[in-house]
Amino acid sequence: MTTGICRPEEIRDWQREVDVIVVGLGAAGAAAALEASATGAETLVLECASGGGGTSAMSGGTIYLGGGTALQKACGFEDSTQAMFDYLMASVGDALNEEKVRLYCEGSCDHYDWLVEQGVPFNPVFYPDSGDAPTSDGLVWSGSEQSYPYCEIAAPAPRGHVPACEGLSGSLLMQKLCAAVDASPAEVATDHRCVELVQEPDGSVVGVIATKFGERRAIRARRGIVITTGGFILDDRMLDQHMPFVKGVHLRVAANGDDGSGIRLGMAAGASTLHMDKASISLPVTEPWGLKRGILVNAQGQRFVNEDAYYGDLGEAALVHNDGHAWLIVDDVIFEQPEYPPREVSAVGETPIELERGLGLPEGSLESTLALYNRHAEDKRDPVFHKAEQYVQPIVTPPFGAFDCNVESSLYGAFTLGGLETDVDGRILDPEGNVIPGLHGAGRATAGLSTGGYASGLSLGDGTFFGRRAGRTAATRKPG
Ligand SMILES: Cc1cc2nc3c(=O)[nH]c(=O)nc-3n(C[C@H](O)[C@H](O)[C@H](O)COP(=O)(O)OP(=O)(O)OC[C@H]3O[C@@H](n4cnc5c(N)ncnc54)[C@H](O)[C@@H]3O)c2cc1C
C-alpha cells in the first residue's frame, strides 16, 4: 500500500470528477459530507471498508458539549460557554489552539441541535454514578470537572452527551449519521482506499487516486478534498516514531483504518503535523465510583494522582509518568470488582506490610503511604492530592487488596490525538503555516482540540464540529 503523491500529468483519464471528495466515513467524514453536500456541492465519500462507521462506530459514542445545551437544561443543569472554555483551557493540554477551543465552546449548543437534526437521539436523563452509563441515559460526567484543581477553576457541569442506547453508543451514533449521509445528496463509494493525492506543482491538491480491489481510479475534486481517515494507533512504525510507550497497551481498539494513512498522505503533500506524541490513555479502574475511595500507588508505593480524576487522567498519570506500574489499593469495605473490565487482584494481605511484600514494593513504602493517607482521611481530608471529600475514607479494614493496573498485565485503552495541522476552518497547513490549497481535514487524522489531557467525548465532538467546518470550507472554495 502506498500513500504518496501523484502529478496531474501522470493521469491519462480522470474516471470521475466531483466538487468535494471526503476520504473516510467515520464521524468526522459523515459531518464533512453532510455539510459539504448541504451547500449544493457534488460530494463523494471514499471509504476503504465495505461500510461506513470507522472507529467512531466502536466507540462509547459520548460527545463533549456544553455551555447550556438543550440536553443539559432538560436534565436540570446550568452551564456557560465561559465555564466550558475555562475548564477545557485548564485541562486538555498545554499547547491549545485557543481560537479553536473558543469556537467549539461558542458553537456547542448549536452543534448539539445539529446532531439531533441528523436523527441522533439523546434521552433527557442524567446518569450520576459513572462516566460510562450502562443505561441509555443521555448525560454523564465525562471529564475531571468535579476534581481538583478544575473544580476551583470553572463551575463544574456534566458535558458528556451520550446517544440513547445501552452499552457503547458509538454504533447508534454512526448508524444515524450514516443514514443521514445516505439520505443526503452525497454519494458514498465503499471499498475505495485512497492511496495517493494528486498535487499540482504549485502545491494545490486537485484529486486522489483510490484503489478498489486493486484497480486504480483517478478522481478529480473541483473544489476540495477532506481527509477524515482517523488516527494511527494501529501503525507500529508511527508509534515507534512518536510514542513508543503506547505500544505496551494491550487494547488498541480501533477499526482497521486507524493506520495513519491519511496523515501520511497529507505529509506527502507537505502538511505539518502537531502533537503526534499525544494519546488518550484510559485506565478505567474506578468505575463504579465507590472505587475512587481506594488509592493508586506506583512501583515506589507512592500515590501519584487524585483517584477521583477522570480515568483518562489516571491512565496518563500511570503510563506516561509512572512507566505503567500501578496498583489500586483497597480494603474490605471498599472492595468491589470494577464494572468493565474485570481486574485481577495482584495481592492480598492482612496488614499493609503483608500487602506491600506481596506486591514487591520497597519496604515500608506502602505502609507509610497508607499511614499518611489514613491520618488525614480521619478528618475527610486529602491535603496531598485534594481528592473530593466524598471519596476520602480511611483504608483500615483487613484484608487489604491491590487491583492490578500494570500496563503489561491489565487493561488500558489508547487512541492517538495528534495529526495534520489545520486552521479553524479545516484547511490543512504546511510547516510555514500556509494553507495547502484544496486540502482539508478533520477528526483524528488531524490534531484535535486536546493536546494532552482529555475528556471523553472530545474526539467525536471536535471531529464532527470541525468536520462540518472543513466540509463547508471545501465546498465553498473557488473551483480549481
Ligand atoms: C473503545 C473506544 C471508545 C471510545 N469512546 C469514545 C467516546 O465515547 N467519545 C469520543 O469522543 N471518542 C471516543 N473514542 C475515540 C473515537 O472513537 C475516535 O477518536 C473517533 O471515532 C475518530 O473519528 P474519525 O471520524 O476521525 O475516524 P474514524 O471513525 O476511525 O473513521 C475513519 C474512517 O476512514 C476510513 N479510512 C482510513 N483510511 C482510509 C483511506 N486511506 N481511504 C479511505 N478510507 C479510509 C476508515 O475505514 C474509517 O471508516 C473511543 C475510542 C475507542 C477505541
Side-chain angles (χ1 to χ4, degrees):
M1 183 203 321
T2 55
T3 46
I5 290 299
C6 155
R7 293 290 177 207
E9 58 269 22
E10 295 170 39
I11 295 169
R12 254 184 267 144
D13 293 309
W14 292 99
Q15 270 80 37
R16 183 82 198 269
E17 184 167 325
V18 293
D19 288 321
V20 175
I21 298 171
V22 176
V23 186
L25 185 55
L34 284 165
E35 211 65 23
S37 63
T39 68
E42 187 183 356
T43 303
L44 175 66
V45 187
L46 302 177
E47 166 56 53
C48 64
S50 297
T55 302
S56 305
M58 303 166 73
S59 76
T62 304
I63 303 167
Y64 195 90
L65 298 167
T69 64
L71 184 68
Q72 287 178 309
K73 286 186 183 142
C75 293
F77 288 95
E78 275 187 24
D79 194 10
S80 69
T81 302
Q82 190 62 42
M84 181 182 177
F85 176 80
D86 290 343
Y87 172 70
L88 289 178
M89 288 303 291
S91 67
V92 297
D94 294 331
L96 295 173
N97 182 323
E98 188 171 334
E99 197 185 353
K100 280 191 183 172
V101 178
R102 172 75 66 194
L103 276 171
Y104 184 69
C105 296
E106 286 172 355
S108 197
C109 293
D110 286 348
H111 191 55
Y112 171 77
D113 296 341
W114 180 84
L115 287 163
V116 173
E117 276 164 30
Q118 306 315 311
V120 184
F122 296 89
N123 279 335
V125 182
F126 169 62
Y127 185 80
D129 294 333
S130 98
D132 288 323
T135 64
S136 61
D137 296 349
L139 191 65
V140 297
W141 293 101
S142 71
S144 285
E145 296 87 350
Q146 299 182 100
S147 312
Y148 181 86
Y150 310 112
C151 56
E152 296 185 357
I153 292 170
R159 303 195 179 102
H161 290 55
V162 192
C165 105
E166 287 183 16
L168 296 176
S169 299
S171 54
L172 178 65
L173 173 72
M174 287 316 297
Q175 187 191 320
K176 297 296 179 186
L177 289 182
C178 288
V181 172
D182 285 343
S184 79
E187 186 188 333
V188 178
T190 54
D191 299 311
H192 278 69
R193 174 177 292 279
C194 179
V195 291
E196 285 169 34
L197 296 176
V198 184
Q199 190 171 33
E200 298 275 5
D202 71 357
S204 39
V205 178
V206 295
V208 306
I209 304 294
T211 56
K212 182 178 184 188
F213 305 130
E215 185 194 322
R216 281 168 70 87
R217 297 178 174 195
I219 307 169
R220 188 175 164 79
R222 287 182 287 262
R223 293 175 185 269
I225 290 144
V226 188
I227 296 185
T228 49
T229 46
F232 61 93
I233 195 72
L234 298 183
D235 190 83
D236 279 351
R237 189 162 180 277
M238 289 173 83
L239 291 185
D240 278 338
Q241 286 170 339
H242 301 289
M243 48 177 152
F245 57 90
V246 166
K247 283 181 75 183
V249 170
H250 284 304
L251 191 73
R252 290 196 243 154
V253 185
N256 286 343
D258 274 6
D259 59 3
S261 65
I263 298 175
R264 294 195 302 279
L265 282 170
M267 289 169 75
S272 153
T273 55
L274 286 178
H275 312 306
M276 296 290 282
D277 59 344
K278 302 294 186 224
S280 157
I281 300 159
S282 48
L283 173 56
V285 67
T286 48
E287 311 252 339
W289 284 1
L291 286 166
K292 293 180 178 190
R293 295 172 299 166
I295 58 170
L296 270 166
V297 300
N298 59 17
Q300 289 72 44
Q302 309 286 311
R303 286 177 77 206
F304 55 88
V305 69
N306 41 332
E307 295 80 7
D308 62 343
Y310 164 59
Y311 58 61
D313 292 338
L314 304 185
E316 189 172 335
L319 185 61
V320 181
H321 304 297
N322 287 282
D323 293 331
H325 294 306
W327 293 267
L328 182 74
I329 308 297
V330 297
D331 68 359
D332 198 42
V333 177
I334 296 171
F335 179 86
E336 60 185 312
Q337 253 302 341
E339 269 162 11
Y340 175 81
R343 282 199 183 255
E344 295 291 319
V345 174
S346 297
V348 178
E350 283 305 311
T351 63
I353 295 181
E354 215 178 291
L355 183 61
E356 178 183 286
R357 284 196 192 121
L359 294 173
L361 296 177
E363 199 179 322
S365 58
L366 180 61
E367 185 192 20
S368 61
T369 296
L370 272 170
L372 177 68
Y373 180 79
N374 287 337
R375 185 177 130 200
H376 295 295
E378 294 289 348
D379 306 325
K380 288 262 165 215
R381 291 192 319 118
D382 172 22
V384 181
F385 285 104
H386 306 273
K387 184 157 66 167
E389 193 185 307
Q390 77 219 67
Y391 300 118
V392 180
Q393 73 179 49
I395 299 173
V396 287
T397 310
F400 301 91
F403 283 112
D404 185 357
C405 300
N406 288 281
V407 67
E408 64 271 12
S409 48
S410 73
L411 188 136
Y412 287 62
F415 61 89
T416 57
L417 295 171
L420 302 169
E421 182 180 3
T422 54
D423 69 8
V424 294
D425 293 312
R427 287 180 285 241
I428 291 178
L429 306 177
D430 73 11
E432 307 291 334
N434 301 311
V435 167
I436 299 179
L439 197 57
H440 311 78
R444 287 298 61 80
T446 64
L449 281 187
S450 161
T451 64
Y454 189 69
S456 263
L458 271 183
S459 194
L460 295 170
D462 79 29
T464 49
F465 184 84
F466 289 102
R468 290 175 63 199
R469 291 180 77 91
R472 258 195 319 266
T473 309
T476 51
R477 188 171 161 264
K478 215 166 128 265

